[in-house]
PDB file of all heavy atoms in Angstrom:
ATOM      1  N   THR A  75     -16.723  87.441  -8.719  1.00  0.00           N
ATOM      2  CA  THR A  75     -16.550  88.898  -8.764  1.00  0.00           C
ATOM      3  C   THR A  75     -17.343  89.503  -9.907  1.00  0.00           C
ATOM      4  O   THR A  75     -18.055  90.507  -9.754  1.00  0.00           O
ATOM      5  CB  THR A  75     -15.049  89.233  -8.936  1.00  0.00           C
ATOM      6  OG1 THR A  75     -14.318  88.452  -8.009  1.00  0.00           O
ATOM      7  CG2 THR A  75     -14.794  90.719  -8.690  1.00  0.00           C
ATOM      8  N   ILE A  76     -17.271  88.862 -11.065  1.00  0.00           N
ATOM      9  CA  ILE A  76     -17.976  89.365 -12.250  1.00  0.00           C
ATOM     10  C   ILE A  76     -19.484  89.325 -12.001  1.00  0.00           C
ATOM     11  O   ILE A  76     -20.213  90.274 -12.237  1.00  0.00           O
ATOM     12  CB  ILE A  76     -17.598  88.552 -13.514  1.00  0.00           C
ATOM     13  CG1 ILE A  76     -16.124  88.833 -13.854  1.00  0.00           C
ATOM     14  CG2 ILE A  76     -18.486  88.899 -14.687  1.00  0.00           C
ATOM     15  CD1 ILE A  76     -15.546  87.903 -14.898  1.00  0.00           C
ATOM     16  N   VAL A  77     -19.964  88.174 -11.458  1.00  0.00           N
ATOM     17  CA  VAL A  77     -21.395  88.023 -11.189  1.00  0.00           C
ATOM     18  C   VAL A  77     -21.864  89.084 -10.199  1.00  0.00           C
ATOM     19  O   VAL A  77     -22.888  89.736 -10.410  1.00  0.00           O
ATOM     20  CB  VAL A  77     -21.701  86.603 -10.649  1.00  0.00           C
ATOM     21  CG1 VAL A  77     -23.123  86.510 -10.133  1.00  0.00           C
ATOM     22  CG2 VAL A  77     -21.467  85.569 -11.735  1.00  0.00           C
ATOM     23  N   ILE A  78     -21.085  89.286  -9.134  1.00  0.00           N
ATOM     24  CA  ILE A  78     -21.476  90.271  -8.122  1.00  0.00           C
ATOM     25  C   ILE A  78     -21.511  91.675  -8.728  1.00  0.00           C
ATOM     26  O   ILE A  78     -22.451  92.448  -8.525  1.00  0.00           O
ATOM     27  CB  ILE A  78     -20.520  90.231  -6.898  1.00  0.00           C
ATOM     28  CG1 ILE A  78     -20.745  88.900  -6.144  1.00  0.00           C
ATOM     29  CG2 ILE A  78     -20.718  91.412  -5.966  1.00  0.00           C
ATOM     30  CD1 ILE A  78     -19.691  88.572  -5.146  1.00  0.00           C
ATOM     31  N   GLN A  79     -20.517  91.966  -9.514  1.00  0.00           N
ATOM     32  CA  GLN A  79     -20.468  93.299 -10.153  1.00  0.00           C
ATOM     33  C   GLN A  79     -21.674  93.483 -11.078  1.00  0.00           C
ATOM     34  O   GLN A  79     -22.301  94.525 -11.116  1.00  0.00           O
ATOM     35  CB  GLN A  79     -19.170  93.463 -10.919  1.00  0.00           C
ATOM     36  CG  GLN A  79     -18.028  93.832  -9.996  1.00  0.00           C
ATOM     37  CD  GLN A  79     -16.717  94.020 -10.741  1.00  0.00           C
ATOM     38  OE1 GLN A  79     -16.625  93.678 -11.934  1.00  0.00           O
ATOM     39  NE2 GLN A  79     -15.721  94.536 -10.078  1.00  0.00           N
ATOM     40  N   GLN A  80     -22.015  92.428 -11.815  1.00  0.00           N
ATOM     41  CA  GLN A  80     -23.167  92.516 -12.717  1.00  0.00           C
ATOM     42  C   GLN A  80     -24.456  92.708 -11.959  1.00  0.00           C
ATOM     43  O   GLN A  80     -25.312  93.480 -12.302  1.00  0.00           O
ATOM     44  CB  GLN A  80     -23.244  91.250 -13.593  1.00  0.00           C
ATOM     45  CG  GLN A  80     -22.290  91.289 -14.778  1.00  0.00           C
ATOM     46  CD  GLN A  80     -22.377  90.034 -15.604  1.00  0.00           C
ATOM     47  OE1 GLN A  80     -22.938  89.030 -15.176  1.00  0.00           O
ATOM     48  NE2 GLN A  80     -21.840  90.098 -16.822  1.00  0.00           N
ATOM     49  N   ASP A  81     -24.537  91.944 -10.822  1.00  0.00           N
ATOM     50  CA  ASP A  81     -25.739  92.038  -9.982  1.00  0.00           C
ATOM     51  C   ASP A  81     -25.932  93.473  -9.460  1.00  0.00           C
ATOM     52  O   ASP A  81     -27.037  93.987  -9.412  1.00  0.00           O
ATOM     53  CB  ASP A  81     -25.626  91.078  -8.784  1.00  0.00           C
ATOM     54  CG  ASP A  81     -25.791  89.644  -9.229  1.00  0.00           C
ATOM     55  OD1 ASP A  81     -26.164  89.454 -10.414  1.00  0.00           O
ATOM     56  OD2 ASP A  81     -25.533  88.740  -8.427  1.00  0.00           O
ATOM     57  N   GLU A  82     -24.808  94.058  -9.046  1.00  0.00           N
ATOM     58  CA  GLU A  82     -24.881  95.426  -8.487  1.00  0.00           C
ATOM     59  C   GLU A  82     -25.346  96.423  -9.550  1.00  0.00           C
ATOM     60  O   GLU A  82     -26.037  97.385  -9.260  1.00  0.00           O
ATOM     61  CB  GLU A  82     -23.517  95.837  -7.946  1.00  0.00           C
ATOM     62  CG  GLU A  82     -23.218  95.190  -6.609  1.00  0.00           C
ATOM     63  CD  GLU A  82     -21.785  95.396  -6.146  1.00  0.00           C
ATOM     64  OE1 GLU A  82     -20.990  95.937  -6.942  1.00  0.00           O
ATOM     65  OE2 GLU A  82     -21.463  94.968  -5.037  1.00  0.00           O
ATOM     66  N   GLN A  83     -24.972  96.153 -10.801  1.00  0.00           N
ATOM     67  CA  GLN A  83     -25.334  97.065 -11.878  1.00  0.00           C
ATOM     68  C   GLN A  83     -26.739  96.831 -12.409  1.00  0.00           C
ATOM     69  O   GLN A  83     -27.361  97.709 -12.991  1.00  0.00           O
ATOM     70  CB  GLN A  83     -24.331  96.937 -13.023  1.00  0.00           C
ATOM     71  CG  GLN A  83     -22.974  97.547 -12.656  1.00  0.00           C
ATOM     72  CD  GLN A  83     -21.875  97.081 -13.597  1.00  0.00           C
ATOM     73  OE1 GLN A  83     -22.156  96.425 -14.595  1.00  0.00           O
ATOM     74  NE2 GLN A  83     -20.644  97.428 -13.295  1.00  0.00           N
ATOM     75  N   SER A  84     -27.294  95.600 -12.260  1.00  0.00           N
ATOM     76  CA  SER A  84     -28.595  95.277 -12.841  1.00  0.00           C
ATOM     77  C   SER A  84     -29.736  95.616 -11.885  1.00  0.00           C
ATOM     78  O   SER A  84     -29.573  95.584 -10.670  1.00  0.00           O
ATOM     79  CB  SER A  84     -28.671  93.769 -13.119  1.00  0.00           C
ATOM     80  OG  SER A  84     -27.518  93.401 -13.775  1.00  0.00           O
TER      81      SER A  84
END
Side-chain angles (χ1 to χ4, degrees):
Chain A
T75 313
I76 292 169
V77 169
I78 290 166
Q79 280 180 350
Q80 279 179 345
D81 287 351
E82 283 170 354
Q83 288 163 8
S84 312

